[in-house]
Amino acid sequence: MRYMAKATMEDFEALLEESFELETPEEGAVVRGTVLAIEAGQAIIDIGYKMEGRVELKEFAQPGHDAEIAVGDTVEVYLDRVENAKGEAVLSRDKARREEAWDRLEKANDKGERVEGAIFGRVKGGFTVDLGGAVAFLPGSQVDVRPVRDVGPLMGQPQPFQILKMDRRRGNIVVSRRAVLEESRAEQRAEIVGKLKEGDVIDGVVKNVTDYGAFVDLGGVDGLLHVTDMAWRRVNHPSEIVNIGETVKVQVVKVNNETQRISLGMKQLMADPWDGVEAKYPIGSKWTGRVTNITDYGAFVELEAGVEGLVHVSEMSWTKKNVHPGKIVSTSQEVEVVVLDVDPSKRRVSLGLKQTQGNPWDLFAENFPAGTPVEGEVKNITEFGLFIGLEGDIDGMVHLSDLDWNRSGEEAMADYKKGDMVKAVVLDVDVEKERISLGVKQLDGDPFADATAGVKRGSIVTVTVTKIEDGGIEVEHDGMKAFIRRSDLSRDRSEQRPERFSVGDKVDARITSIDRSARRLGLSIKALQIAEEREAVQQFGSSDSGASLGDILGAALKERGGEDS
């Protein structure tokens, strides 16, 4: 009896201790349970402690799949509440999976490891991803390295993701599929780039075409085929040469192992048209080409595919100065040009357009030598003269000093306006400087030359008084005006009075100077009187012989009178 009482007491203590150890689990804990039955779309789960609960079957299903669960299976569930109104425990498989997932994801995030998940829904700005119980947000920009139009094929497919950000307290997780792809592409790219070397010829597929070139897939790595390396000729847009999806043969032009950038070329696989260009296009030869591009400084003309020359704006026209090249030629126009210079090292050809048309100044000089009369329209009036339009679409200039013989240039300029037709005579043609000098006053001859023809310094002329002034008198000789100063009006000072003359008087005077450059005729009555006195003394005696000057002059006058009679 004592032994049985003792055993019973020990068993009771053991059972009591076990009951303390197996306390009812706290709400919010993850517990193990056994599936007792499946009914009405729910699984009845016994979690022990004389507690049972129900869980919707869909909580045991993976996204896009049916639930895989059977009676007798052991599962982990989340204890939300110990007892509800029906006396059942409130259980959740989703919350259990979420807690498991968060623990697993936090460990993976700390180690920088990728996690597996499946895209199962679309939300504003991106998609939702099931990471084995935890739901993460996948931004649209993080789906792929390039924009994806159709995400359908990716939905529900298990695939790796990189965690960008996670906050357990708020329940936020942001993941990226793009980071995984970029990393794997970087590894693949590094491997491929490491095998490539400059000069390699390989096949590739055109993936994208831009304004500046095309990206070619070389089997996991892209290379840039720049527009300038597509052909030797000028290419306005890459689409002229390649199309997306097309397989092309390219040469590796340059490989940058640091940036892993690959430059490709197609023209390098073709013959260089610049080889032997100097012999093919000798200086002075004429060619017909097509205008490919027009700039402010000239126009590019294609002589053959890949060989272009520049016609500088200064070589486009003999007469059209400061005009935009686009007003002389147009794109795609066929033009005849002359080769002016060839520099194969710089791949440059200088061309001339105006040289094919002949120099209009040469033609003018040949057809209109100095002294030839011409007629043209006043194109422009400046402070130094008139510009007259001439044959050959060139201009000649009449300097203001060549407008009138008698009036100043400023006065004569007032007679002209733009558009007037003017007759002139060619004075000079300077082909090198492209200048033509014209004269208007020369059409009527030079009155100064006419007036001084046949006379020289010392000659005696008869002039007509046209004006009386305080300083002398104005006279006219053969239509040319001259001026006799007061001091030259007489040998006697008392007779040096302008008022003793009248307009219309005929007066003899001696020519003292002829200045053809200044167009001046120097006249003096006084010089004439002194010359006559000297001559009389020589012919009729000297005053030293006793004859008075009056007698000598009287004899001279008498002699002259006899000759006149």
Side-chain angles (χ1 to χ4, degrees):
M1 289 290 291
R2 284 196 300 269
Y3 175 77
M4 292 179 62
K6 184 177 180 182
T8 303
M9 193 66 172
E10 288 176 352
D11 292 340
F12 177 75
E13 289 177 355
L15 290 171
L16 182 61
E17 185 177 348
E18 184 180 353
S19 67
F20 282 126
E21 291 178 356
L22 301 176
E23 293 180 354
T24 302
E26 295 182 0
E27 292 180 352
V30 176
V31 298
R32 284 181 175 274
T34 303
V35 179
L36 297 178
I38 297 176
E39 57 182 37
Q42 294 178 324
I44 301 173
I45 301 173
D46 178 11
I47 61 172
Y49 318 105
K50 297 182 180 180
M51 289 191 297
E52 296 177 358
R54 296 173 180 270
V55 179
E56 295 288 335
L57 290 181
K58 65 181 180 181
E59 292 192 28
F60 293 95
Q62 296 293 333
H65 298 80
D66 295 331
E68 295 182 1
I69 189 171
V71 175
D73 287 351
T74 300
V75 294
E76 289 187 341
V77 291
Y78 181 86
L79 180 58
D80 211 354
R81 279 187 292 163
V82 172
E83 187 176 359
N84 61 10
K86 297 180 180 179
E88 296 178 340
V90 179
L91 306 175
S92 171
R93 174 58 186 161
D94 283 344
K95 290 185 179 180
R97 290 177 65 242
R98 188 178 301 120
E99 292 299 315
E100 292 172 5
W102 272 97
D103 290 339
R104 175 171 49 80
L105 294 173
E106 283 181 337
K107 291 178 182 178
N109 187 42
D110 292 340
K111 295 179 181 180
E113 297 175 346
R114 300 173 184 173
V115 295
E116 190 172 272
I119 302 173
F120 70 89
R122 185 188 295 270
V123 293
K124 183 177 181 181
F127 305 89
T128 51
V129 179
D130 181 8
L131 299 178
V135 177
F137 173 63
L138 173 64
S141 61
Q142 296 298 320
V143 175
D144 206 329
V145 290
R146 290 190 176 91
V148 178
R149 295 182 179 178
D150 183 15
V151 188
L154 300 176
M155 299 290 281
Q157 298 296 322
Q159 51 195 312
F161 294 89
Q162 184 72 44
I163 297 175
L164 300 181
K165 180 181 177 183
M166 64 185 303
D167 186 338
R168 188 163 187 167
R169 184 173 61 85
R170 296 184 178 180
N172 292 335
I173 305 176
V174 180
V175 295
S176 170
R177 178 174 176 270
R178 175 178 177 173
V180 176
L181 295 175
E182 287 179 342
E183 186 176 339
S184 59
R185 282 172 64 90
E187 295 172 358
Q188 185 182 25
R189 186 182 185 92
E191 182 181 353
I192 296 175
V193 171
K195 294 179 181 178
L196 292 175
K197 60 181 182 297
E198 294 180 8
D200 286 350
V201 178
I202 51 179
D203 289 331
V205 179
V206 179
K207 292 186 65 177
N208 191 25
V209 177
T210 68
D211 290 339
Y212 55 86
F215 288 94
V216 180
D217 185 357
L218 305 177
V221 61
D222 289 351
L224 174 62
L225 175 60
H226 197 270
V227 63
T228 56
D229 285 314
M230 289 185 170
W232 290 109
R233 68 176 178 84
R234 181 186 293 272
V235 179
N236 294 318
H237 194 274
S239 59
E240 298 176 10
I241 306 295
V242 296
N243 297 304
I244 294 176
E246 179 184 358
T247 299
V248 294
K249 189 175 291 294
V250 292
Q251 185 180 73
V252 178
V253 176
K254 187 176 181 181
V255 178
N256 190 325
N257 290 314
E258 293 183 5
T259 61
Q260 296 189 344
R261 289 182 179 174
I262 304 169
S263 298
L264 305 173
M266 288 177 66
K267 73 179 185 183
Q268 287 78 2
L269 301 175
M270 311 171 193
D272 187 350
W274 283 88
D275 292 340
V277 72
E278 195 169 13
K280 187 173 182 179
Y281 298 100
I283 294 174
S285 59
K286 285 186 180 181
W287 300 85
T288 299
R290 181 177 62 89
V291 178
T292 57
N293 192 29
I294 298 175
T295 67
D296 290 338
Y297 53 85
F300 288 91
V301 176
E302 184 181 62
L303 300 176
E304 65 173 272
V307 178
E308 284 185 346
L310 172 65
V311 181
H312 192 268
V313 64
S314 62
E315 305 294 344
M316 302 200 83
S317 173
W318 291 108
T319 57
K320 295 176 181 177
K321 309 294 184 182
N322 301 320
V323 175
H324 191 276
K327 297 197 174 179
I328 300 176
V329 295
S330 57
T331 304
S332 299
Q333 179 184 347
E334 295 284 336
V335 293
E336 189 178 31
V337 291
V338 172
V339 177
L340 304 180
D341 186 45
V342 180
D343 189 341
S345 61
K346 294 182 179 179
R347 306 174 79 85
R348 290 179 183 172
V349 177
S350 296
L351 303 173
L353 185 65
K354 69 183 183 182
Q355 287 78 0
T356 63
Q357 302 162 354
N359 189 335
W361 279 272
D362 277 331
L363 296 174
F364 188 88
E366 183 180 343
N367 297 327
F368 300 92
T372 305
V374 292
E375 184 176 9
E377 180 183 340
V378 177
K379 297 290 186 179
N380 196 18
I381 300 176
T382 68
E383 60 182 9
F384 48 84
L386 309 176
F387 283 91
I388 309 297
L390 301 173
E391 186 177 301
D393 199 24
I394 57 179
D395 291 345
M397 191 190 79
V398 182
H399 193 271
L400 54 84
S401 62
D402 289 315
L403 287 172
D404 197 284
W405 290 112
N406 300 314
R407 293 184 296 167
S408 68
E410 288 76 10
E411 289 179 316
M413 289 267 280
D415 294 342
Y416 301 92
K417 62 181 182 297
K418 287 178 70 173
D420 286 352
M421 294 300 295
V422 175
K423 291 182 179 180
V425 64
V426 177
L427 302 181
D428 182 57
V429 180
D430 190 329
V431 175
E432 283 190 16
K433 294 182 179 179
E434 299 181 349
R435 291 178 184 170
I436 299 174
S437 297
L438 304 175
V440 172
K441 68 183 183 181
Q442 287 82 355
L443 284 170
D444 299 328
D446 187 350
F448 182 84
D450 294 341
T452 57
V455 298
K456 58 183 179 179
R457 188 169 176 271
S459 298
I460 299 171
V461 294
T462 301
V463 297
T464 303
V465 178
T466 56
K467 192 175 182 180
I468 310 297
E469 297 182 3
D470 290 340
I473 60 174
E474 182 186 77
V475 297
E476 183 181 283
H477 173 61
D478 286 348
M480 184 196 64
K481 298 289 179 68
F483 191 78
I484 303 176
R485 295 174 299 173
R486 176 189 282 269
S487 59
D488 286 316
L489 290 178
S490 178
R491 182 174 180 276
D492 296 332
R493 187 179 294 275
S494 60
E495 295 298 318
Q496 295 176 351
R497 292 176 292 107
E499 59 270 18
R500 73 185 182 88
F501 295 93
S502 300
V503 174
D505 286 353
K506 301 288 185 179
V507 179
D508 288 341
R510 184 184 176 94
I511 298 176
T512 57
S513 64
I514 301 175
D515 189 342
R516 287 182 171 78
S517 60
R519 304 179 58 74
R520 258 183 215 164
L521 189 64
L523 297 174
S524 173
I525 299 174
K526 175 181 177 180
L528 174 61
Q529 292 174 344
I530 293 174
E532 287 178 341
E533 179 181 335
R534 187 179 300 114
E535 183 182 351
V537 169
Q538 289 176 354
Q539 290 186 13
F540 297 99
S542 170
S543 57
D544 293 338
S545 62
S548 67
L549 182 60
D551 294 337
I552 295 171
L553 291 176
L557 291 172
K558 184 177 179 182
E559 178 70 19
R560 179 180 292 180
E563 292 176 356
D564 294 340
S565 62

